Amino acid sequence: MYKTDAVAILLATYQGERYLRAQLDSLLGQSEAGWKVFAHDDGSKDGTAAILREYAARDPERFCLIEGAGTGGAKNNFLFLTGQVEASYYMYCDQDDVWLPDKVEVTLRAMKELEREQGRDRPCLVHTELKVVDASLREICPRLSEYQGIEPGKLTLGRLLAQNTVTGCTMMINRALRNAMTACAEPEAIRMHDWWAALIAMRFGALRFLPEATILYRQHGNNSVGAQRAKGLGGLLKKALDTRAIRESIQATRVQAQAFARAFDLPESDLIAQYGHLGSLSRLKRLRFCRENGIEKTGTLRNLGFRFYG
């Protein structure tokens, strides 16, 4: 177990040598000095691990490389890192973005304000807007929410069960949320680490969205997840009619909800537990349940597929 009094920046890498130095240098340019990077590489065959070792050797007070076997993907890598470090606050860092100079400072200030309101013993999460850029950092769209057609500032538990609008690389969580995140014995059921964290904060604590961009969100074709643009009517309608993908996606959200209910011993009457077993009801009852509990996705066409096949 690694411990730090600074903000723990958890960096998950894989085959990232092309953009990694720019990301690490953007961390070094932060206006807030109280942070330390904990990185774990997932078995890269390029020069990623060597770059991490170089920065750790040059500045061991800032960079720590956690050795270990590959975890099998970004989600598992971030969950692994979350369990390896003890800190008061945690941030999640992708290998190919660029952090704006005040990212840590702005997010930490908002987190401390949220903790003063909620108490440090409650799970708290702060996330921000992102600026979407191309591989050369040229602006594609000033706001990810506009690019994707989502509304992260209007998040409710009902919406979060169906669709995640919390982007992990903008996220800061407190220790109470980190401790709760490690309680799940079924990581395979978790859709993504940021979605899981958001569910915990929404159910047991609090979330705060900052509408200002704190990161250049680089899109280069090889992103582990990446931003999917809200397309024109034809493109959205095509996705809405992809019945197999929609059904699989909806079922995965229910499996996640079931795992959440088990992890936190929720009663059967809890909204999350009920959503997890929604598939056992008739379509009419499912539609009524979702309508009464505000379970929906952002956008008319997204909801067309969700309501018809969910």
Side-chain angles (χ1 to χ4, degrees), residues 238-253:
K238 183 178 179 180
K239 290 187 68 175
L241 296 177
D242 188 348
T243 60
R244 179 178 177 180
I246 293 172
R247 287 194 173 102
E248 289 177 351
S249 176
I250 293 171
Q251 179 58 23
T253 66

Side-chain angles (χ1 to χ4, degrees), residues 15-17 20-21 44-52:
Q15 301 290 95
E17 67 175 358
L20 182 57
R21 288 183 185 277
S44 296
K45 304 301 182 183
D46 62 2
T48 299
I51 294 172
L52 293 174

Side-chain angles (χ1 to χ4, degrees), residues 13 43 80 130 183:
T13 64
F80 167 76
L130 313 84

